[in-house]
């Protein structure tokens, strides 16, 4: 029987840490051992959704690293981070909203260890870097545990943090869980879900640059077996550059039918509509940033950027018995994106003007249909408790690329008073290519409690995507099959209750380009391969008021595309890059009403074997730092409830220098951004918040090229009113 309230999970497997064990191994074959038969007698009742929280959040639940709370981002078994031989973090949704972080990118980069932003309009404003690897091809984005396939380097959903119950972060290779494209890490946004108790919440805010925000959420029972959740969030701003208007809308809803105590169906739909700031960067003058250009927009007057995404999902969860749970998730995603911009800016010393080029108009029409099934089996192997999950994943992705290639057009404008002009389209915009990607995979994960203190965890995944692509201009086509097997194995040893040592070895695969938009020149290359070894320690102490982690790792990625040193016109797949580093995090409730959260990452990332063609000759960049990768990062947050109803908080984000080119000649400097907030609660269910962002008005770049930088938000502020009812 399914427990009536998911909170009862504390009496089951996820409370074993307090009574002694943290044990388990992932030996897939072992789960079919001869002692499987008495499993039901040794296992507690199972809940369909061990990570759903149906009660109202408390301060303790929202704070900290959540080491002793189950999550789905680091394991399909729903293990706690303390039980997982990997670096896993959980960022609570209330923490995100208390800190004034309205986007998923802000929430991840300002809270999670070692993640930095490469957000730009061309990648959907969502590209990330971690552990020495950057971009959507190496850092995967998930929504409710389902991967979003990348089209032409772009992912535009999810983007809004209001509807997030939490964000789960896994650092290091995750191909064994989610397939190709996750050698650096994974970000999983888990939405708020239908609840069995009624709750309503709303917020409104006004801020500098004409910012206006409003959000509403409601959930609760409709009847004895039916419950719902509805969230809506809208944001508008005049932007911080000329002609920088932005607006977005995110709406999500879900209905859950608890047909029987053991069987549940959840139907959900999420919609997002974004019109981001039509700003593609600030040009450098003679290689340097002139701060007088900080608020200038060099795009054309009739530029346009818009992303529309719609996600529909049906989940079925059935606890067949205490030993067996079945889950199936069917989903359908559509994405429609449009850009019409001039995107390249370069200083011309002769004319002392900014040369604009790359008048680009692009449409993406993408459709992803898929189904994931898994079965979790709890048994006993030679007297040792064992858990196994196995299943399959099916996807069909259709992608059409419409553009005005070869992106001609050119103009020159005054750097300090740029006349925007209008868009030039000499080639005309028309469909240029379309593709169909069919993917299936088989996966399994296992956890074996060898002793009450020692557990072994491992997994394996087989992926088999097939890409068909049609060139609608040349009339040519190709079909390419890929095959890949990823696996990981690790161990967790609980020295004392709440203190765990772990080690892991994992393999991974990355595409040489996004699979659904793989170009004809890339089709004959294999998937890149990678491997990681990681060791670490995690501890929860002071009855959960204190938590800390420390991890050391090394990752090697092979089969990079590189120039043949002896034939500069020939590309070969023999390149290699690697990274090694240390990561640490600490969350500590010093005393009543005072908490400090901090993390930091030290990294050495480099190309081991990488050559590019420059002016007709092969140039080796071995030993250089990969582009877009900072080697030093840190986040610190502190909050203090200094009087009844009053709380102040401050956050500091540090990102080390990065390189804009493989030659490491173009440097984007390090930066430190300070955010602050003051909350006042007139009543228990209302709150006024005054927040300041980039308090000291740091001028910094988050992305860009050798000729221009995409600058981050300057100093701004907002006043927000929130309430629950």
């Amino acid at each position: 029987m399914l427990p009536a309230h998911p909170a009862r999970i504390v009496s089951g497997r996820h409370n074993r840490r307090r009574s002694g064990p943290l044990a388990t191994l992932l030996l897939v074959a072992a789960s079919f051992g001869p002692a499987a038969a008495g499993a039901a007698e040794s296992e507690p009742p199972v809940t369909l959704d061990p990570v759903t929280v149906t009660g109202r959040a408390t301060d303790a639940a929202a704070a900290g690293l959540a080491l002793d709370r189950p999550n789905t981002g680091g394991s399909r078994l729903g293990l706690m981070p303390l039980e997982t031989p990997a670096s896993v973090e959980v960022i609570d949704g209330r923490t995100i909203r208390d800190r004034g972080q309205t986007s998923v990118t802000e929430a991840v980069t300002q809270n999670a260890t070692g993640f930095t932003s490469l957000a730009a309009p061309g990648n959907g404003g969502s590209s990330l870097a971690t552990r020495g690897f950057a971009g959507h091809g190496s850092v995967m984005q998930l929504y409710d545990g389902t991967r979003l396939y990348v089209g032409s380097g772009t992912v535009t959903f999810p983007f809004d943090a209001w509807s997030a119950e939490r964000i789960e972060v896994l650092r290091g290779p995750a191909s064994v869980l989610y397939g190709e494209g996750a050698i650096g890490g994974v970000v999983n946004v888990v939405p708020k879900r239908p609840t069995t108790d009624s709750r309503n919440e709303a917020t409104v805010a006004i801020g500098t640059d004409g910012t206006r925000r409003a959000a509403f959420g409601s959930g609760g029972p409709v009847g004895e077996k039916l419950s719902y959740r509805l969230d809506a969030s809208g944001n508008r701003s005049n932007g911080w550059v000329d002609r920088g208007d932005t607006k977005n809308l995110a709406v999500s809803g879900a209905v859950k039918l608890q047909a029987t105590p053991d069987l549940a169906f959840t139907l959900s739909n999420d919609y997002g509509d974004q019109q981001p700031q039509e700003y593609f960067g600030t040009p450098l003058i003679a290689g340097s940033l002139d701060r007088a250009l900080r608020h200038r927009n060099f795009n054309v007057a009739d530029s346009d950027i818009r992303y529309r995404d719609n996600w529909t999902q049906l989940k079925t969860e059935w606890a067949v018995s205490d030993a067996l749970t079945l889950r199936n998730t069917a989903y359908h995603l559509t994405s429609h994106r449009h850009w019409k911009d001039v995107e390249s800016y370069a200083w011309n010393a002769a004319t002392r003007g900014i040369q604009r080029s790359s008048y680009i108009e692009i449409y993406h029409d993408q459709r992803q249909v898929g189904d994931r099934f898994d079965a979790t089996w709890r048994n006993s192997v030679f007297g040792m408790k064992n858990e196994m999950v196995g299943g399959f994943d099916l996807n069909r992705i259709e992608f059409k690329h419409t553009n005005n290639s070869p992106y001609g057009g050119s103009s020159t404008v005054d750097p300090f008073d740029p006349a925007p002009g209008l868009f030039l389209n000499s080639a005309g915009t028309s469909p240029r290519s379309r593709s169909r990607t069919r993917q299936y995979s088989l996966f399994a994960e296992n956890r074996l409690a060898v002793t009450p203190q020692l557990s072994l965890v491992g997994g394996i995944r087989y992926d088999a995507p097939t890409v068909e692509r049609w060139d609608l201009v040349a009339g040519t086509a190709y079909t390419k099959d890929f095959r890949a097997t990823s696996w990981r194995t690790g161990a967790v040893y609980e020295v004392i209750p709440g203190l765990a040592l772990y080690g892991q070895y994992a393999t991974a695969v990355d595409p040489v380009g996004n699979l659904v938009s793989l170009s004809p020149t890339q089709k004959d290359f294999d998937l890149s391969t990678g491997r990681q070894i990681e060791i670490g320690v995690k501890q929860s102490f002071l009855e959960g008021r204190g938590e800390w982690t420390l991890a050391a790792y090394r990752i090697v990625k092979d089969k990079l595309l590189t120039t043949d040193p002896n034939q500069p016109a020939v590309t070969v797949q023999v390149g290699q890059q690697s990274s090694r580093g240390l990561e640490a995090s600490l969350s500590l409730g010093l005393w009543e009403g005072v908490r400090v959260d901090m993390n930091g990452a030290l990294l050495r990332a480099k190309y081991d074997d990488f050559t590019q063609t420059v002016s007709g000759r092969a140039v080796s960049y071995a030993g250089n730092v990969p582009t877009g990768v900072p080697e030093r990062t840190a986040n610190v947050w502190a909050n203090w409830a200094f009087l009844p109803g009053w709380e102040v908080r401050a956050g500091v984000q540090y990102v080390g220098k990065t390189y804009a080119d493989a030659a490491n000649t173009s440097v984007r400097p390090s930066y430190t951004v300070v955010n602050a907030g003051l909350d006042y609660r007139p009543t228990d269910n209302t709150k006024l918040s005054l927040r300041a962002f980039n308090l000291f008005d740091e001028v910094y770049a988050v992305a860009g090229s050798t000729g221009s930088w995409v600058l981050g938000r300057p100093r701004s502020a907002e006043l927000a009113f929130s309430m629950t009812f």
Side-chain angles (χ1 to χ4, degrees), residues 567-589:
Q567 303 179 77
V570 177
T571 299
V572 292
Q573 195 176 16
V574 297
Q576 177 179 290
Q577 75 179 82
S578 63
S579 64
R580 63 179 185 272
L582 291 172
E583 297 168 338
S585 60
L586 170 68
S587 180
L588 183 60

Side-chain angles (χ1 to χ4, degrees), residues 164-240:
E165 177 187 288
R166 65 185 184 276
I167 298 177
E168 302 170 340
V169 169
L170 171 64
R171 303 191 302 276
S175 295
V176 69
L177 294 173
Y178 307 111
E180 47 77 27
I183 194 169
V186 162
V187 174
N188 180 32
V189 178
V190 181
K192 299 172 185 174
R193 294 168 174 166
T195 54
T196 56
D197 63 322
S198 295
R199 65 181 72 177
N200 301 285
E201 53 194 329
T203 186
V204 292
I206 57 172
T208 53
D209 300 320
T211 299
R212 294 89 77 198
R213 296 195 296 108
F216 171 78
S218 178
V222 178
E224 190 173 306
K225 296 185 177 182
L226 199 64
S227 56
Y228 78 97
R229 179 72 203 186
L230 176 65
D231 288 280
S233 173
N235 300 271
R236 297 181 72 104
S237 176
N238 298 335
W240 52 268

Side-chain angles (χ1 to χ4, degrees), residues 210-485:
T211 299
R212 294 89 77 198
R213 296 195 296 108
F216 171 78
S218 178
V222 178
E224 190 173 306
K225 296 185 177 182
L226 199 64
S227 56
Y228 78 97
R229 179 72 203 186
L230 176 65
D231 288 280
S233 173
N235 300 271
R236 297 181 72 104
S237 176
N238 298 335
W240 52 268
V241 297
D242 302 330
R243 296 172 285 106
D245 293 359
T246 69
K247 61 181 178 180
N248 62 60
L249 173 68
V251 180
S252 63
V255 177
K256 181 176 182 179
L257 173 63
Q258 192 72 49
T260 72
D262 306 314
L263 178 65
F265 301 93
T266 304
L267 177 65
S268 61
N269 192 83
D270 299 83
Y271 173 76
D273 189 340
Q274 301 179 72
Q275 292 178 256
Q277 189 166 252
E278 294 155 13
Y279 162 72
F280 274 84
T282 301
L284 306 179
I285 296 181
S288 299
L289 177 68
D290 189 326
R291 296 191 177 207
L293 305 184
R294 187 181 192 186
H295 301 284
R296 297 289 174 263
N297 189 350
F298 290 83
N299 212 333
V300 290
D302 56 343
S303 60
D304 184 40
I305 307 176
R306 189 174 184 183
Y307 317 133
R308 288 170 295 149
D309 300 273
N310 195 83
W311 177 279
T312 305
Q313 180 173 267
L314 175 62
K315 277 189 171 183
T316 303
E317 304 171 290
W318 181 24
V320 180
S321 67
D322 292 344
L324 178 64
T325 302
L326 306 180
R327 295 180 176 88
N328 191 82
T329 304
Y331 43 89
H332 177 264
L333 169 69
T334 58
S335 296
H336 302 285
R337 311 175 186 122
H338 179 222
W339 296 263
K340 187 176 75 171
D341 309 274
V342 55
E343 300 185 7
S344 297
Y345 317 126
W347 165 250
N348 188 320
T351 64
R352 304 198 65 79
I354 302 299
Q355 187 78 24
R356 303 189 305 182
S357 58
S358 299
Y359 281 71
I360 293 176
E361 182 168 38
I362 291 176
Y363 290 88
H364 288 177
D365 295 290
Q366 184 170 340
R367 179 171 177 261
Q368 177 179 334
V369 181
D371 187 87
R372 182 176 64 255
F373 171 83
D374 64 69
T376 301
W377 176 251
R378 303 164 186 84
N379 62 355
S380 178
V381 177
F382 301 111
M384 298 176 288
K385 290 184 179 180
N386 188 81
E387 298 167 274
M388 177 188 177
V389 61
F392 62 81
D393 199 355
L394 304 173
N395 280 281
R396 178 188 172 106
I397 309 99
E398 297 174 351
F399 183 76
K400 184 172 73 172
H401 198 290
T402 300
N403 61 57
N404 67 326
S405 176
Y407 311 125
S410 178
S411 59
T412 300
V413 296
D414 186 306
F416 302 101
D417 187 19
L422 299 176
F423 186 78
L424 305 175
N425 193 344
S426 56
T429 304
S430 60
R432 301 304 174 98
S433 67
R434 67 179 182 90
S435 70
R436 180 172 58 228
T437 304
R438 292 168 295 174
Q439 175 268 353
Y440 76 86
S441 63
L442 304 172
F443 56 84
E445 187 177 0
N446 201 82
R447 181 176 186 267
L448 179 67
V450 180
T451 72
Q453 286 74 40
L454 176 65
S455 54
L456 302 175
V457 181
I460 190 167
R461 180 184 177 103
Y462 173 74
D463 277 285
T466 296
V467 181
E468 299 175 272
R469 186 182 189 273
W470 294 269
D471 188 317
L472 303 179
V473 177
T476 57
Y478 74 77
T479 299
K480 173 69 175 182
D481 296 324
F482 294 94
R483 300 292 182 266
T485 300

Side-chain angles (χ1 to χ4, degrees), residues 97-98 202-206 213 642 645-649 677-691 718-724:
R97 290 179 281 279
D98 283 347
T203 186
V204 292
I206 57 172
R213 296 195 296 108
F642 59 96
W646 290 86
E647 185 173 16
V648 64
R649 63 174 51 80
L678 176 66
D679 294 342
Y680 169 60
R681 293 184 178 273
T683 66
D684 289 341
N685 65 336
T686 59
K687 181 174 70 173
L688 279 169
S689 301
L690 178 63
R691 302 186 181 106
E718 73 171 20
L719 178 65
F721 173 74
S722 305
M723 66 181 301
T724 58

Side-chain angles (χ1 to χ4, degrees), residues 133 137-139 172-175 181-185 508-510 529-531 555-557:
F133 299 89
S138 295
V139 183
S175 295
I183 194 169
V509 290
D510 272 2
T529 59
R531 56 196 181 277
I555 304 175
V556 178
K557 181 178 178 179

Side-chain angles (χ1 to χ4, degrees), residues 689-702:
S689 301
L690 178 63
R691 302 186 181 106
F693 308 101
N694 193 1
L695 186 62
F696 297 107
D697 206 22
E698 178 91 338
V699 180
Y700 63 100
V702 296

